[in-house]
Amino acid sequence: AMKRKSVHDAGALHAAHPYGVQPCGNLFTSSQPSIREHGLGQFRVLPDELLLQVLGEFDALLLNQLAACSRAFYIFTHHEEPWKSWTLRDFAETGFTFRQDWRHTYLQRWRRASMQPASPRAFAGLFSDTLFQPWMYAMMHIQAAWTARDNIDRRYNLSAAEFVEQYEKPGKPVILTDVVKTWPCFAKWNWDYLREKCKDTRFAARAAKLTLPEFQAYMNEAKEEMPLYIFDRDFATKCPVLGQDYSVPPQFGEDLFSVLGKDRPDYRWIIIGASRSGSAWHVDPNFTSAWNGVVRGKKKWLLYPPNQIPPGAGTPCSPTVPTLFSVDFFIFSSKKKLLFLAFSSGVFPSADGAEVTQPVSICEWFFNYYKQTKAGPRPLECVLSEGEVLFIPSRWWHLVLNLTESIAITQNFVTPRNLQSVLRFLRDKREQVAGCGKDGATLFERFRAALNEHRPELDTSIPEPRKKEPAKQLAVEETAHFSFGFG
């Protein structure tokens, strides 16, 4: 469970929480006594984050029984996260039709029968940032200040040679304004066209596989802090016409991973998402560069160079120490022993570069940390509109927030300019290689052998890695050198 920053100002909201939950700070000014301690019984000793983890260990029947025990349990057992997790776990392969909320969706799918929508019952006296904040960030408007800054070059009619000299070699992002508009998909792609061409095709949306009608129903009804979005690497195989409706921009035409043929790592995805969905801070896999072309909608982008960690980050020099909780509970004669870890919030790249953790959602990061971007080194930012494509250099941090419903194509690639970095990563970070399944550990040898055969003019030799000094701490800059593996 990730501990959130306390909420002091919910003035941007114009509606009450559907179950009557209020921020913790309101307890000090409210005349309504708390219903938590009396209503939760022995569960009252748990912080809210851990209580939700405990409830997530139960099943739907038990949660419904607990909901009838007290007003406090009614509110906690209607929290969306456990029901969402169960829906994605139990119906990932067969799909589901979203109805009203995740609880209603799960129960309807579980019972295999339609259910009448039920209006939430609001009760006074429960004060919880853990329950209040997801709803607050789901309902909060995207603020104008978040989209005002736009400082990335926009270029028209940029030649491939100019792109290499002016942007790829110096590692500088750039927006091309005249490429996506030439793609067939720019004129064709809308919901009617996609439903017709893809029919019953299931696309990956987090752990779930949904048809486009199922995903559209979700987008139309769901209101949540971190919406699902389609991020599918096999879209052109599942629905070949989608792969024929676009072409790689000539500026990014050279991709050295192509020498591996069908054994290359995953490299292209279709992205479909609602407003407020997006991608938290990360660095692209295997030290590749990338491009992202927007066919429909608008996306807010923030980018930092490799040696600049985004605001709100934790580093090995200022570690976040977790707290361990061990809990025994007897629930309806069933004993459970559960272990939990609680952390503070922020953006945390691991010391060895194996992973990055951003426990806060994208909107929460904007709300709590975006102002800090004005104080230190400023990121590059833009609103990428439909018809535009953005180049993201190797190893650059980036965050993406969909401002509207959007459809995009993205690809990762390797050129002679970033080949040495990629080879070094594949050799020295074998356990972090992404997009190859179990073959990631051998990608370095296979890739270098294929390059030597098909592109012998390229230098594939790299210096031996430096021996690490056990007592030496990693510098802050080194924490940005990690791979983000797409699921």
Side-chain angles (χ1 to χ4, degrees):
M2 304 301 179
K3 185 173 178 60
R4 294 173 175 270
K5 296 181 70 174
S6 181
V7 176
H8 301 291
D9 180 17
L13 302 175
H14 302 285
H17 189 284
Y19 294 100
V21 179
Q22 298 182 59
C24 286
N26 288 27
L27 176 63
F28 300 103
T29 59
S30 175
S31 59
Q32 176 69 36
S34 171
I35 63 174
R36 187 186 191 283
E37 286 69 26
H38 178 71
L40 294 182
Q42 62 177 325
F43 282 96
R44 67 183 180 273
V45 301
L46 286 180
D48 291 351
E49 299 94 333
L50 302 187
L51 174 56
L52 289 176
Q53 285 200 50
V54 172
L55 297 180
E57 295 293 318
F58 302 154
D59 58 27
L61 179 61
L62 185 51
L63 274 199
N64 281 336
Q65 291 174 319
L66 285 173
C69 291
S70 68
R71 291 172 292 171
F73 266 128
Y74 173 83
I75 295 172
F76 271 97
T77 57
H78 280 71
H79 186 62
E80 288 277 76
E81 194 55 39
W83 298 100
K84 180 178 182 178
S85 297
W86 293 343
T87 303
L88 298 181
R89 177 197 66 193
D90 294 349
F91 310 119
E93 297 296 327
T94 55
F96 53 86
T97 300
F98 191 90
R99 291 288 185 265
Q100 185 179 352
D101 55 31
W102 284 107
R103 179 178 179 273
H104 191 88
T105 299
Y106 182 85
L107 291 176
Q108 180 170 267
R109 186 69 174 79
W110 181 53
R111 294 172 176 172
R112 299 179 182 271
S114 61
M115 296 172 53
Q116 291 297 321
S119 299
R121 297 184 62 186
F123 296 106
L126 190 60
F127 305 89
S128 169
D129 287 345
T130 301
L131 299 182
F132 184 82
Q133 285 195 36
W135 172 82
M136 181 187 80
Y137 291 119
M139 300 299 293
M140 182 183 295
H141 295 299
I142 294 174
Q143 299 178 16
W146 298 352
T147 62
R149 200 184 306 167
D150 201 315
N151 56 7
I152 298 180
D153 288 354
R154 278 181 163 82
R155 298 294 300 271
Y156 175 85
N157 199 27
L158 183 71
S159 71
E162 290 172 328
F163 163 74
V164 169
E165 293 301 321
Q166 298 176 28
Y167 296 99
E168 190 186 14
K169 283 185 177 179
K172 181 180 178 183
V174 63
I175 298 169
L176 307 181
T177 62
D178 57 339
V179 175
V180 176
K181 295 171 185 176
T182 67
W183 292 348
C185 63
F186 190 70
K188 294 180 181 180
W189 283 11
N190 55 41
W191 279 109
D192 290 337
Y193 175 84
L194 293 175
R195 282 196 301 264
E196 176 190 351
K197 296 300 182 182
C198 301
K199 296 182 179 178
D200 298 326
T201 302
R202 293 197 174 276
F203 293 94
R206 195 168 155 182
K209 294 180 175 64
L210 303 178
T211 65
L212 290 180
E214 288 172 341
F215 186 73
Q216 192 175 19
Y218 163 79
M219 288 201 305
N220 291 340
E221 291 207 33
K223 294 179 175 63
E224 56 180 340
E225 181 184 13
M226 294 185 285
L228 299 179
Y229 61 97
I230 287 176
F231 191 81
D232 196 295
R233 64 191 178 188
D234 300 317
F235 71 97
T237 302
K238 296 175 179 178
C239 190
V241 68
L242 299 185
Q244 298 164 10
D245 279 347
Y246 82 98
S247 57
V248 177
Q251 294 84 351
F252 318 130
E254 185 175 32
D255 183 0
L256 296 179
F257 267 146
S258 64
V259 299
L260 290 170
K262 62 181 180 61
D263 295 325
R264 63 166 302 152
D266 299 331
Y267 69 105
R268 61 179 177 177
W269 295 263
I270 191 171
I271 310 171
I272 306 176
S275 172
R276 313 172 67 82
S277 62
S279 181
W281 284 109
H282 67 281
V283 172
D284 277 344
N286 306 332
F287 278 8
T288 54
S289 298
W291 57 262
N292 186 293
V294 179
V295 181
R296 293 288 177 266
K298 293 184 177 182
K299 296 172 177 282
K300 171 66 181 184
W301 283 76
L302 279 80
L303 302 98
Y304 277 104
N307 63 347
Q308 184 63 47
I309 299 174
T315 72
C317 299
S318 56
T320 300
V321 180
T323 303
L324 180 66
F325 293 81
S326 176
V327 186
D328 284 317
F329 279 110
F330 289 89
I331 307 299
F332 300 119
S333 301
S334 176
K335 183 177 179 180
K336 286 180 175 285
K337 175 181 271 298
L338 303 171
L339 293 175
F340 301 98
L341 288 174
F343 297 83
S344 62
S345 62
V347 179
F348 302 105
S350 63
D352 65 354
E355 60 181 305
V356 62
T357 300
Q358 182 181 314
V360 299
S361 68
I362 300 172
C363 282
E364 184 174 356
W365 184 89
F366 269 100
F367 186 74
N368 289 308
Y369 295 105
Y370 182 68
K371 290 181 180 178
Q372 296 182 24
T373 65
K374 300 178 181 179
R378 294 200 168 189
L380 292 183
E381 303 183 45
C382 72
V383 172
L384 195 66
S385 300
E386 59 184 55
E388 297 181 327
V389 61
L390 173 66
F391 165 65
I392 305 101
S394 170
R395 299 163 48 210
W396 274 61
W397 289 84
H398 47 285
L399 171 148
V400 190
L401 173 65
N402 286 327
L403 303 178
T404 65
E405 185 178 299
S406 67
I407 305 174
I409 297 291
T410 187
Q411 289 196 186
N412 293 73
F413 62 102
V414 183
T415 73
R417 270 70 63 187
N418 65 335
L419 176 60
Q420 290 294 312
S421 294
V422 171
L423 286 173
R424 189 175 295 109
F425 179 88
L426 298 180
R427 184 195 64 184
D428 299 342
K429 303 286 186 178
R430 294 173 187 265
E431 72 283 358
Q432 300 171 34
V433 173
C436 295
K438 297 180 180 179
D439 296 328
T442 63
L443 180 59
F444 168 70
E445 286 79 13
R446 291 186 289 114
F447 184 37
R448 189 163 69 167
L451 286 172
N452 290 337
E453 178 182 355
H454 299 286
R455 297 292 302 272
E457 77 280 7
L458 296 176
D459 181 10
T460 60
S461 62
I462 51 176
E464 289 299 317
R466 292 177 298 176
K467 292 184 179 180
K468 295 182 179 179
E469 300 177 18
K472 182 181 177 182
Q473 282 189 312
L474 291 174
V476 172
E477 289 85 349
E478 292 179 89
T479 65
H481 297 175
F482 70 96
S483 169
F484 179 85
F486 298 110

PDB file of all heavy atoms in Angstrom, residues 65 99-100 121 127 140 161 168 178 197 218 231 244 284 286 288 293 310-311 337 343 359 385 417 437 442 457:
ATOM      1  N   GLN A  65     -21.028  -9.570   2.561  1.00  0.00           N
ATOM      2  CA  GLN A  65     -21.444  -9.813   3.942  1.00  0.00           C
ATOM      3  C   GLN A  65     -20.925  -8.720   4.868  1.00  0.00           C
ATOM      4  O   GLN A  65     -21.647  -8.225   5.746  1.00  0.00           O
ATOM      5  CB  GLN A  65     -20.952 -11.179   4.408  1.00  0.00           C
ATOM      6  CG  GLN A  65     -21.647 -12.350   3.725  1.00  0.00           C
ATOM      7  CD  GLN A  65     -21.032 -13.687   4.113  1.00  0.00           C
ATOM      8  OE1 GLN A  65     -19.803 -13.818   4.219  1.00  0.00           O
ATOM      9  NE2 GLN A  65     -21.879 -14.694   4.302  1.00  0.00           N
ATOM     10  N   ARG A  99     -20.280  -1.678 -16.378  1.00  0.00           N
ATOM     11  CA  ARG A  99     -21.573  -1.133 -16.015  1.00  0.00           C
ATOM     12  C   ARG A  99     -21.484  -0.385 -14.692  1.00  0.00           C
ATOM     13  O   ARG A  99     -21.161  -0.977 -13.669  1.00  0.00           O
ATOM     14  CB  ARG A  99     -22.623  -2.250 -15.894  1.00  0.00           C
ATOM     15  CG  ARG A  99     -22.993  -2.895 -17.215  1.00  0.00           C
ATOM     16  CD  ARG A  99     -23.847  -1.934 -18.063  1.00  0.00           C
ATOM     17  NE  ARG A  99     -24.318  -2.555 -19.287  1.00  0.00           N
ATOM     18  CZ  ARG A  99     -23.701  -2.447 -20.458  1.00  0.00           C
ATOM     19  NH1 ARG A  99     -22.577  -1.748 -20.547  1.00  0.00           N
ATOM     20  NH2 ARG A  99     -24.183  -3.022 -21.535  1.00  0.00           N
ATOM     21  N   GLN A 100     -21.695   0.889 -14.708  1.00  0.00           N
ATOM     22  CA  GLN A 100     -21.818   1.757 -13.529  1.00  0.00           C
ATOM     23  C   GLN A 100     -20.499   1.921 -12.785  1.00  0.00           C
ATOM     24  O   GLN A 100     -19.967   3.013 -12.676  1.00  0.00           O
ATOM     25  CB  GLN A 100     -22.902   1.249 -12.590  1.00  0.00           C
ATOM     26  CG  GLN A 100     -23.160   2.174 -11.399  1.00  0.00           C
ATOM     27  CD  GLN A 100     -24.260   1.670 -10.489  1.00  0.00           C
ATOM     28  OE1 GLN A 100     -24.962   0.710 -10.785  1.00  0.00           O
ATOM     29  NE2 GLN A 100     -24.440   2.328  -9.357  1.00  0.00           N
ATOM     30  N   ARG A 121     -25.189   4.837  -1.304  1.00  0.00           N
ATOM     31  CA  ARG A 121     -25.737   5.448  -0.087  1.00  0.00           C
ATOM     32  C   ARG A 121     -24.620   6.209   0.611  1.00  0.00           C
ATOM     33  O   ARG A 121     -23.554   5.655   0.891  1.00  0.00           O
ATOM     34  CB  ARG A 121     -26.322   4.387   0.835  1.00  0.00           C
ATOM     35  CG  ARG A 121     -27.500   3.620   0.247  1.00  0.00           C
ATOM     36  CD  ARG A 121     -28.083   2.657   1.267  1.00  0.00           C
ATOM     37  NE  ARG A 121     -28.611   3.375   2.431  1.00  0.00           N
ATOM     38  CZ  ARG A 121     -29.070   2.764   3.537  1.00  0.00           C
ATOM     39  NH1 ARG A 121     -29.026   1.436   3.612  1.00  0.00           N
ATOM     40  NH2 ARG A 121     -29.535   3.471   4.544  1.00  0.00           N
ATOM     41  N   PHE A 127     -13.770   9.784   7.533  1.00  0.00           N
ATOM     42  CA  PHE A 127     -12.756  10.735   7.077  1.00  0.00           C
ATOM     43  C   PHE A 127     -11.522   9.934   6.662  1.00  0.00           C
ATOM     44  O   PHE A 127     -10.845   9.340   7.506  1.00  0.00           O
ATOM     45  CB  PHE A 127     -12.418  11.721   8.195  1.00  0.00           C
ATOM     46  CG  PHE A 127     -13.625  12.444   8.739  1.00  0.00           C
ATOM     47  CD1 PHE A 127     -14.365  11.911   9.791  1.00  0.00           C
ATOM     48  CD2 PHE A 127     -14.031  13.650   8.183  1.00  0.00           C
ATOM     49  CE1 PHE A 127     -15.481  12.577  10.283  1.00  0.00           C
ATOM     50  CE2 PHE A 127     -15.149  14.324   8.664  1.00  0.00           C
ATOM     51  CZ  PHE A 127     -15.879  13.780   9.717  1.00  0.00           C
ATOM     52  N   MET A 140     -11.477  15.668 -10.627  1.00  0.00           N
ATOM     53  CA  MET A 140     -10.825  16.963 -10.792  1.00  0.00           C
ATOM     54  C   MET A 140     -10.602  17.295 -12.264  1.00  0.00           C
ATOM     55  O   MET A 140     -10.211  16.452 -13.060  1.00  0.00           O
ATOM     56  CB  MET A 140      -9.473  16.941 -10.064  1.00  0.00           C
ATOM     57  CG  MET A 140      -8.710  18.251 -10.106  1.00  0.00           C
ATOM     58  SD  MET A 140      -7.101  18.076  -9.303  1.00  0.00           S
ATOM     59  CE  MET A 140      -7.603  17.755  -7.626  1.00  0.00           C
ATOM     60  N   ALA A 161      18.206  13.694 -43.089  1.00  0.00           N
ATOM     61  CA  ALA A 161      19.571  14.133 -42.744  1.00  0.00           C
ATOM     62  C   ALA A 161      19.536  15.278 -41.740  1.00  0.00           C
ATOM     63  O   ALA A 161      20.342  15.320 -40.797  1.00  0.00           O
ATOM     64  CB  ALA A 161      20.310  14.567 -44.010  1.00  0.00           C
ATOM     65  N   GLU A 168      18.655  14.006 -33.558  1.00  0.00           N
ATOM     66  CA  GLU A 168      19.017  12.689 -33.033  1.00  0.00           C
ATOM     67  C   GLU A 168      20.409  12.680 -32.433  1.00  0.00           C
ATOM     68  O   GLU A 168      20.602  12.182 -31.311  1.00  0.00           O
ATOM     69  CB  GLU A 168      18.918  11.625 -34.127  1.00  0.00           C
ATOM     70  CG  GLU A 168      19.063  10.229 -33.530  1.00  0.00           C
ATOM     71  CD  GLU A 168      19.117   9.127 -34.562  1.00  0.00           C
ATOM     72  OE1 GLU A 168      19.313   9.417 -35.758  1.00  0.00           O
ATOM     73  OE2 GLU A 168      18.986   7.955 -34.163  1.00  0.00           O
ATOM     74  N   ASP A 178       3.990  17.297 -40.207  1.00  0.00           N
ATOM     75  CA  ASP A 178       3.476  17.003 -41.548  1.00  0.00           C
ATOM     76  C   ASP A 178       3.528  15.522 -41.922  1.00  0.00           C
ATOM     77  O   ASP A 178       3.353  15.183 -43.084  1.00  0.00           O
ATOM     78  CB  ASP A 178       4.272  17.808 -42.588  1.00  0.00           C
ATOM     79  CG  ASP A 178       5.766  17.516 -42.515  1.00  0.00           C
ATOM     80  OD1 ASP A 178       6.235  17.030 -41.475  1.00  0.00           O
ATOM     81  OD2 ASP A 178       6.475  17.778 -43.504  1.00  0.00           O
ATOM     82  N   LYS A 197     -13.538  -3.008 -38.907  1.00  0.00           N
ATOM     83  CA  LYS A 197     -12.347  -3.732 -39.338  1.00  0.00           C
ATOM     84  C   LYS A 197     -11.859  -4.734 -38.294  1.00  0.00           C
ATOM     85  O   LYS A 197     -11.307  -5.778 -38.642  1.00  0.00           O
ATOM     86  CB  LYS A 197     -11.232  -2.740 -39.663  1.00  0.00           C
ATOM     87  CG  LYS A 197     -11.549  -1.811 -40.835  1.00  0.00           C
ATOM     88  CD  LYS A 197     -11.799  -2.593 -42.110  1.00  0.00           C
ATOM     89  CE  LYS A 197     -12.075  -1.661 -43.279  1.00  0.00           C
ATOM     90  NZ  LYS A 197     -12.364  -2.420 -44.533  1.00  0.00           N
ATOM     91  N   TYR A 218     -16.494   0.874 -21.514  1.00  0.00           N
ATOM     92  CA  TYR A 218     -15.715   1.256 -20.329  1.00  0.00           C
ATOM     93  C   TYR A 218     -15.386   2.753 -20.357  1.00  0.00           C
ATOM     94  O   TYR A 218     -15.570   3.465 -19.355  1.00  0.00           O
ATOM     95  CB  TYR A 218     -14.431   0.430 -20.264  1.00  0.00           C
ATOM     96  CG  TYR A 218     -13.394   1.014 -19.337  1.00  0.00           C
ATOM     97  CD1 TYR A 218     -13.490   0.846 -17.968  1.00  0.00           C
ATOM     98  CD2 TYR A 218     -12.335   1.781 -19.840  1.00  0.00           C
ATOM     99  CE1 TYR A 218     -12.562   1.413 -17.110  1.00  0.00           C
ATOM    100  CE2 TYR A 218     -11.400   2.338 -18.990  1.00  0.00           C
ATOM    101  CZ  TYR A 218     -11.514   2.156 -17.628  1.00  0.00           C
ATOM    102  OH  TYR A 218     -10.598   2.726 -16.785  1.00  0.00           O
ATOM    103  N   PHE A 231      -3.051  -0.809 -24.954  1.00  0.00           N
ATOM    104  CA  PHE A 231      -1.633  -0.703 -25.285  1.00  0.00           C
ATOM    105  C   PHE A 231      -1.231  -2.065 -25.822  1.00  0.00           C
ATOM    106  O   PHE A 231      -0.825  -2.950 -25.074  1.00  0.00           O
ATOM    107  CB  PHE A 231      -0.830  -0.327 -24.034  1.00  0.00           C
ATOM    108  CG  PHE A 231       0.595   0.072 -24.315  1.00  0.00           C
ATOM    109  CD1 PHE A 231       0.896   1.347 -24.755  1.00  0.00           C
ATOM    110  CD2 PHE A 231       1.635  -0.823 -24.133  1.00  0.00           C
ATOM    111  CE1 PHE A 231       2.213   1.728 -25.005  1.00  0.00           C
ATOM    112  CE2 PHE A 231       2.948  -0.460 -24.385  1.00  0.00           C
ATOM    113  CZ  PHE A 231       3.230   0.820 -24.822  1.00  0.00           C
ATOM    114  N   GLN A 244      -1.437  -1.590 -42.014  1.00  0.00           N
ATOM    115  CA  GLN A 244      -1.326  -1.042 -43.366  1.00  0.00           C
ATOM    116  C   GLN A 244      -1.762   0.417 -43.444  1.00  0.00           C
ATOM    117  O   GLN A 244      -1.516   1.074 -44.454  1.00  0.00           O
ATOM    118  CB  GLN A 244      -2.191  -1.884 -44.309  1.00  0.00           C
ATOM    119  CG  GLN A 244      -1.761  -3.337 -44.405  1.00  0.00           C
ATOM    120  CD  GLN A 244      -2.838  -4.224 -45.021  1.00  0.00           C
ATOM    121  OE1 GLN A 244      -3.842  -3.724 -45.538  1.00  0.00           O
ATOM    122  NE2 GLN A 244      -2.639  -5.537 -44.941  1.00  0.00           N
ATOM    123  N   ASP A 284      12.076   4.443 -21.828  1.00  0.00           N
ATOM    124  CA  ASP A 284      11.697   3.370 -22.746  1.00  0.00           C
ATOM    125  C   ASP A 284      12.657   2.180 -22.673  1.00  0.00           C
ATOM    126  O   ASP A 284      13.823   2.329 -22.300  1.00  0.00           O
ATOM    127  CB  ASP A 284      11.612   3.905 -24.177  1.00  0.00           C
ATOM    128  CG  ASP A 284      10.268   4.571 -24.449  1.00  0.00           C
ATOM    129  OD1 ASP A 284       9.321   4.348 -23.667  1.00  0.00           O
ATOM    130  OD2 ASP A 284      10.168   5.313 -25.437  1.00  0.00           O
ATOM    131  N   ASN A 286      15.187  -1.002 -23.091  1.00  0.00           N
ATOM    132  CA  ASN A 286      16.414  -1.379 -23.808  1.00  0.00           C
ATOM    133  C   ASN A 286      17.201  -0.186 -24.350  1.00  0.00           C
ATOM    134  O   ASN A 286      17.987  -0.329 -25.287  1.00  0.00           O
ATOM    135  CB  ASN A 286      16.082  -2.336 -24.965  1.00  0.00           C
ATOM    136  CG  ASN A 286      15.301  -3.550 -24.508  1.00  0.00           C
ATOM    137  OD1 ASN A 286      15.421  -3.979 -23.360  1.00  0.00           O
ATOM    138  ND2 ASN A 286      14.479  -4.102 -25.394  1.00  0.00           N
ATOM    139  N   THR A 288      16.195   2.176 -26.133  1.00  0.00           N
ATOM    140  CA  THR A 288      15.789   2.545 -27.484  1.00  0.00           C
ATOM    141  C   THR A 288      15.288   3.978 -27.526  1.00  0.00           C
ATOM    142  O   THR A 288      14.876   4.537 -26.517  1.00  0.00           O
ATOM    143  CB  THR A 288      14.673   1.616 -27.985  1.00  0.00           C
ATOM    144  OG1 THR A 288      13.603   1.616 -27.024  1.00  0.00           O
ATOM    145  CG2 THR A 288      15.179   0.200 -28.187  1.00  0.00           C
ATOM    146  N   GLY A 293       3.009   8.999 -32.689  1.00  0.00           N
ATOM    147  CA  GLY A 293       2.192   9.780 -33.604  1.00  0.00           C
ATOM    148  C   GLY A 293       0.727   9.748 -33.200  1.00  0.00           C
ATOM    149  O   GLY A 293       0.150   8.674 -33.028  1.00  0.00           O
ATOM    150  N   PRO A 310      12.712  13.304 -12.413  1.00  0.00           N
ATOM    151  CA  PRO A 310      11.547  14.183 -12.242  1.00  0.00           C
ATOM    152  C   PRO A 310      11.315  14.573 -10.793  1.00  0.00           C
ATOM    153  O   PRO A 310      11.721  13.864  -9.868  1.00  0.00           O
ATOM    154  CB  PRO A 310      10.389  13.324 -12.768  1.00  0.00           C
ATOM    155  CG  PRO A 310      11.017  12.320 -13.659  1.00  0.00           C
ATOM    156  CD  PRO A 310      12.365  12.044 -13.082  1.00  0.00           C
ATOM    157  N   PRO A 311      10.663  15.710 -10.550  1.00  0.00           N
ATOM    158  CA  PRO A 311      10.332  16.126  -9.175  1.00  0.00           C
ATOM    159  C   PRO A 311       9.515  15.057  -8.457  1.00  0.00           C
ATOM    160  O   PRO A 311       8.736  14.329  -9.068  1.00  0.00           O
ATOM    161  CB  PRO A 311       9.502  17.393  -9.388  1.00  0.00           C
ATOM    162  CG  PRO A 311       9.927  17.919 -10.710  1.00  0.00           C
ATOM    163  CD  PRO A 311      10.235  16.707 -11.545  1.00  0.00           C
ATOM    164  N   LYS A 337      -3.174 -14.804   8.175  1.00  0.00           N
ATOM    165  CA  LYS A 337      -2.001 -14.023   8.567  1.00  0.00           C
ATOM    166  C   LYS A 337      -1.514 -13.312   7.312  1.00  0.00           C
ATOM    167  O   LYS A 337      -1.244 -13.941   6.297  1.00  0.00           O
ATOM    168  CB  LYS A 337      -0.881 -14.880   9.140  1.00  0.00           C
ATOM    169  CG  LYS A 337       0.392 -14.068   9.434  1.00  0.00           C
ATOM    170  CD  LYS A 337       1.502 -14.919   9.987  1.00  0.00           C
ATOM    171  CE  LYS A 337       1.474 -15.029  11.478  1.00  0.00           C
ATOM    172  NZ  LYS A 337       1.644 -13.773  12.196  1.00  0.00           N
ATOM    173  N   PHE A 343       4.770   2.391   1.978  1.00  0.00           N
ATOM    174  CA  PHE A 343       5.805   3.306   1.508  1.00  0.00           C
ATOM    175  C   PHE A 343       5.237   4.726   1.454  1.00  0.00           C
ATOM    176  O   PHE A 343       4.036   4.931   1.484  1.00  0.00           O
ATOM    177  CB  PHE A 343       6.280   2.936   0.099  1.00  0.00           C
ATOM    178  CG  PHE A 343       6.926   1.587  -0.013  1.00  0.00           C
ATOM    179  CD1 PHE A 343       6.157   0.448  -0.160  1.00  0.00           C
ATOM    180  CD2 PHE A 343       8.298   1.467   0.032  1.00  0.00           C
ATOM    181  CE1 PHE A 343       6.748  -0.796  -0.273  1.00  0.00           C
ATOM    182  CE2 PHE A 343       8.893   0.223  -0.094  1.00  0.00           C
ATOM    183  CZ  PHE A 343       8.124  -0.908  -0.241  1.00  0.00           C
ATOM    184  N   PRO A 359       4.090   5.470  -7.230  1.00  0.00           N
ATOM    185  CA  PRO A 359       2.868   5.053  -6.570  1.00  0.00           C
ATOM    186  C   PRO A 359       1.712   6.023  -6.759  1.00  0.00           C
ATOM    187  O   PRO A 359       0.567   5.646  -6.575  1.00  0.00           O
ATOM    188  CB  PRO A 359       3.253   4.937  -5.099  1.00  0.00           C
ATOM    189  CG  PRO A 359       4.592   5.541  -4.967  1.00  0.00           C
ATOM    190  CD  PRO A 359       5.205   5.677  -6.309  1.00  0.00           C
ATOM    191  N   SER A 385      -0.867  17.284 -30.602  1.00  0.00           N
ATOM    192  CA  SER A 385      -2.208  17.231 -31.183  1.00  0.00           C
ATOM    193  C   SER A 385      -2.274  16.222 -32.323  1.00  0.00           C
ATOM    194  O   SER A 385      -1.250  15.773 -32.841  1.00  0.00           O
ATOM    195  CB  SER A 385      -2.605  18.614 -31.695  1.00  0.00           C
ATOM    196  OG  SER A 385      -2.618  19.564 -30.640  1.00  0.00           O
ATOM    197  N   ARG A 417      23.338   5.846 -34.130  1.00  0.00           N
ATOM    198  CA  ARG A 417      23.631   6.885 -33.148  1.00  0.00           C
ATOM    199  C   ARG A 417      23.463   6.395 -31.708  1.00  0.00           C
ATOM    200  O   ARG A 417      24.179   6.841 -30.817  1.00  0.00           O
ATOM    201  CB  ARG A 417      22.743   8.120 -33.383  1.00  0.00           C
ATOM    202  CG  ARG A 417      23.338   9.152 -34.318  1.00  0.00           C
ATOM    203  CD  ARG A 417      23.391   8.671 -35.744  1.00  0.00           C
ATOM    204  NE  ARG A 417      22.047   8.415 -36.290  1.00  0.00           N
ATOM    205  CZ  ARG A 417      21.819   7.862 -37.478  1.00  0.00           C
ATOM    206  NH1 ARG A 417      22.843   7.469 -38.240  1.00  0.00           N
ATOM    207  NH2 ARG A 417      20.586   7.673 -37.911  1.00  0.00           N
ATOM    208  N   GLY A 437      10.551 -11.920 -23.907  1.00  0.00           N
ATOM    209  CA  GLY A 437      10.200 -13.080 -23.107  1.00  0.00           C
ATOM    210  C   GLY A 437      11.418 -13.646 -22.405  1.00  0.00           C
ATOM    211  O   GLY A 437      12.239 -12.909 -21.848  1.00  0.00           O
ATOM    212  N   THR A 442      19.845 -13.501 -23.863  1.00  0.00           N
ATOM    213  CA  THR A 442      20.746 -13.796 -24.983  1.00  0.00           C
ATOM    214  C   THR A 442      20.603 -12.790 -26.125  1.00  0.00           C
ATOM    215  O   THR A 442      21.221 -12.972 -27.178  1.00  0.00           O
ATOM    216  CB  THR A 442      20.462 -15.209 -25.537  1.00  0.00           C
ATOM    217  OG1 THR A 442      19.121 -15.260 -26.063  1.00  0.00           O
ATOM    218  CG2 THR A 442      20.618 -16.261 -24.445  1.00  0.00           C
ATOM    219  N   GLU A 457      29.687  -2.898 -41.532  1.00  0.00           N
ATOM    220  CA  GLU A 457      30.364  -1.604 -41.435  1.00  0.00           C
ATOM    221  C   GLU A 457      30.189  -0.954 -40.060  1.00  0.00           C
ATOM    222  O   GLU A 457      30.908  -0.002 -39.714  1.00  0.00           O
ATOM    223  CB  GLU A 457      29.838  -0.654 -42.523  1.00  0.00           C
ATOM    224  CG  GLU A 457      28.478  -0.032 -42.265  1.00  0.00           C
ATOM    225  CD  GLU A 457      27.308  -0.963 -42.582  1.00  0.00           C
ATOM    226  OE1 GLU A 457      27.562  -2.150 -42.887  1.00  0.00           O
ATOM    227  OE2 GLU A 457      26.147  -0.501 -42.530  1.00  0.00           O
TER     228      GLU A 457
END
